[in-house]
Amino acid sequence: MYKVGDKWMSEFPPVRGIETPVEDNHSVIASTSYGGMTGGHSAMYLEYMDGDDATVLKIHLTAGLGGSEQAESTASGSSASQGVNQINIDIEEKEVNEEHRDRGTTLHYQSWIITNVQFNAFISAVEKFRTKVDAGRYSYRLAGGAVGWITTRPGKRGVNCADFIIKVLKEAGIANLGSKIINTPKRVAGG
């Protein structure tokens, strides 16, 4: 978020080039990725007002390795001969930009203006997904989508960072991005 006069504006306006204020009664959520053929990694940025405080959260799924099962390489290209494809749901508070916008010009994205009801539904969907991760329901798979699902043992679901975004945005009633054979960060970022 960046400031214009006394108003906070979104770094991820749904219509590029049109300044979009973030106010008490509506927030902005963006699905983002980096450049390249697949987008590298996807994350969501949630911009909202908490009273008089402008707040930006980065919410994303990351993979970690541990345990005794054979591991798959992660999106960063690293691999290990041992380890289960663990998942972390990270929620990080990010700084706001007082004078300029930066993230929206350096990341690929698509975004939505959301109501307070959708905001609460989104937070609930993220926590529900995190609870399922903690219960062992999900395992990291680079491809995600249908390929991620069929490459895991019964009772588990293989997911990647794009699958996480698809699932929580749909469950919160914000967007139905649809799951494909393979889900990429670039696709969920509108590319």
Side-chain angles (χ1 to χ4, degrees):
M1 293 170 62
Y2 64 101
K3 215 167 192 181
V4 174
D6 63 349
K7 287 194 173 262
W8 285 99
M9 300 295 174
S10 173
E11 289 185 72
F12 302 101
V15 178
R16 285 163 178 80
I18 304 291
E19 288 186 334
T20 303
V22 178
E23 299 174 323
D24 288 333
N25 60 350
H26 66 268
S27 306
V28 174
I29 189 161
S31 174
T32 69
S33 76
Y34 300 118
M37 189 167 71
T38 64
H41 178 65
S42 54
M44 292 175 286
Y45 284 87
L46 178 59
E47 301 172 308
Y48 65 98
M49 296 302 295
D50 186 8
D52 291 333
D53 296 326
T55 305
V56 178
L57 297 179
K58 179 181 180 183
I59 303 148
H60 57 127
L61 179 149
T62 58
L65 301 175
S68 62
E69 293 182 29
Q70 185 68 28
E72 177 178 319
S73 64
T74 64
S76 64
S78 65
S79 64
S81 60
Q82 296 293 314
V84 70
N85 293 316
Q86 297 173 334
I87 293 173
N88 301 308
I89 304 301
D90 299 322
I91 301 174
E92 308 163 21
E93 189 163 344
K94 301 306 241 180
E95 74 285 346
V96 294
N97 298 311
E98 288 283 339
E99 298 174 7
H100 59 87
R101 49 190 249 159
D102 187 33
R103 293 179 193 98
T105 59
T106 59
L107 295 170
H108 295 282
Y109 76 90
Q110 62 179 326
S111 66
W112 302 268
I113 296 171
I114 62 173
T115 65
N116 292 339
V117 170
Q118 289 172 312
F119 176 96
N120 292 332
F122 172 75
I123 298 299
S124 179
V126 168
E127 290 306 322
K128 184 176 177 183
F129 194 98
R130 181 185 272 171
T131 299
K132 288 181 179 181
V133 165
D134 292 344
R137 170 78 171 103
Y138 296 115
S139 179
Y140 180 79
R141 289 294 184 265
L142 182 61
V147 172
W149 180 70
I150 64 172
T151 60
T152 52
R153 297 184 314 211
K156 281 200 176 264
R157 171 82 196 254
V159 296
N160 66 10
C161 53
D163 290 318
F164 169 63
I165 289 174
I166 292 167
K167 177 98 172 125
V168 298
L169 289 179
K170 181 178 181 182
E171 188 169 315
I174 296 168
N176 185 355
L177 302 178
S179 189
K180 303 289 184 185
I181 293 174
I182 295 174
N183 290 323
T184 65
K186 190 171 186 178
R187 188 179 76 75
V188 298

